[in-house]
Amino acid sequence: MRYDVDLFVIGGGSGGVRAARIAATHGAKVMLAEEYRMGGTCVIRGCVPKKLMVYASQYHEHFEDAAGFGWTVGPVRFDWPAFIAAKDREIARLEAAYAGNLDRAGVETVAQRAVVTGPNSVQLADGRTVTAGRILIATGARPSTDETLPGRDLAISSNEVFHLAEQPKRIVIAGGGYIAVEFAGVFAGLGSEVTLVYRGPKILRGFDEDVRDHLMAEYAKKGIRLVMNETFTGIEQGAGGLTVRFRNGHAPVEADQVLMAIGRRPNTAGLGLETAGVALGVNGEVIVDAASGTNAPTIFAVGDVTDRVSLTPVAIREGHAFADTVYGGKAWQADHGLIPTAVFSEPEIGTVGLSEQEAVAAGGAVDIYRAVFRPMKHTLSGRDTRMLMKLVVDGTTDRVLGVHLCGPDAGEMIQLAGIAVKMKATKADFDATMAVHPTAAEELVTMRTPSLRHPAA
Ligand code: FAD
């Protein structure tokens, strides 16, 4: 049977765009549907605009720190609408670049919603049916909401936070994951009064405990109010703004905006996957094998919709591997092991590999190398901030199992440390590498004695 296209991709985000482009360059006839804006979450309302906001928020401290180096900085003022307009221009430029790349690769794009109507058919919002040899689900994820919370419609999610007409003077952020933590840092840097509310005892569950404690201490120094072990009972609109009420005894807080960043859910609702018998997991994620195949032989899925590791580079690699394997005659699979990641908090976090707790739980002997120090820049700026660097090392083989950093440029550093860890470098390999002086990163190769030894269990 002849199909209209070889491959129909639903979703023009990180994973879908890469898969479509590579499949087309391998000679496949590809159509891609995007219902919102080309580029997806990362480009339009995720990584990219977020990082631009992080940059904007850092100037405040740069101006203050300059005084320690002899500079006199005049009165400073942040113009939120000017920044948002500049950010929007950059996002529009990137969106056009994504569309242009697809076009040049020969992918036909349709700017509308698509749903699956069978193993080899898709229906567009305009009613048109397109048949396809294969269908790739790359629909990403959306912010979770608490449907039972009174006043939930008064809160915003990470979708709206990029488009506020005014900078909130006071913001309450719910959540303890990296998105909540990053926006807390952004708004504090921009001068907003920030309250971060999380139901658990510490932010950033799953990260190394030292990193979690370190960032909480740094956030407290910046005046971010950390309200842990707490949940909302409701949000109300009052004369002075929004009032957030809590379950576990904290006094109500007034705010101009309430940001819910309590997790993300795979975008599979109403997608018609049941018409092709595609199996979903408990969170609505598409269940896939290592080659991104579903239980339906013609349907594949990549990126956040599969709820494996929800990061842009991962979605891109899954999409690329799928396209090379199926259309390029080069079979390979995305490797989900030892993924270096950053949290663009202020200060930043960079991390790869096992936390101390995970390494110890694995049962072998573990050596911990740990340094906490004042970054050189702040000897003159006088800013009270500390950098944390930590290596988790296998006490038997000397292999570096994890690197955990919290401080300036940690995101940049962890990309490079990630190569060493992926190559199975030992602590002796780190030590044999000459230091780059004067840097903070040199601490990674100069920590001589373990600060702690965990014996084998
Ligand atoms: P997406 O990029 O979400 O793309 C899915 C696309 O499908 C969307 O454009 C959507 O409109 C479209 N779509 C959905 N349903 C349909 C349909 N039925 N028909 C047509 N189109 C449809 N990752 C990092 O690596 N680093 C970061 O710093 C980072 N920061 C982030 C910050 C925020 C605030 C958020 C929300 C996410 C961040 N992420 C970050 C995660 C990253 O954005 C995602 O992992 C990545 O975008 C996933 O790509 P994807 O292709 O799976 O889905």
Side-chain angles (χ1 to χ4, degrees), residues 281-314:
V282 282
N283 284 326
E285 75 276 19
V286 180
I287 296 174
V288 287
D289 58 25
S292 297
T294 70
N295 60 320
T298 55
I299 302 196
F300 294 75
V302 295
D304 285 10
V305 76
T306 65
D307 204 14
R308 284 178 279 183
V309 181
S310 294
L311 292 169
T312 278
V314 178

Side-chain angles (χ1 to χ4, degrees), residues 67-80:
F69 293 84
W71 289 90
T72 303
V73 179
V76 294
R77 197 179 71 83
F78 178 63
D79 185 338
W80 174 272

Side-chain angles (χ1 to χ4, degrees), residues 10-16 33-37 39-42 45-47 50 112-115 138-141 158 162 178-179 182-183 264 267 271 302-305 309-313 315 342 344:
I10 307 183
S14 309
E34 168 53 55
E35 67 176 341
Y36 181 55
R37 291 177 66 182
T41 303
C42 175
R45 44 196 185 186
C47 335
K50 181 270 307 281
Q112 46 183 308
R113 183 170 171 79
V115 295
T139 51
S158 65
F162 296 112
Y178 79 92
I179 295 176
E182 289 176 338
F183 281 113
R264 294 178 62 79
N267 256 334
L271 200 55
V302 295
D304 285 10
V305 76
V309 181
S310 294
L311 292 169
T312 278
F344 296 100

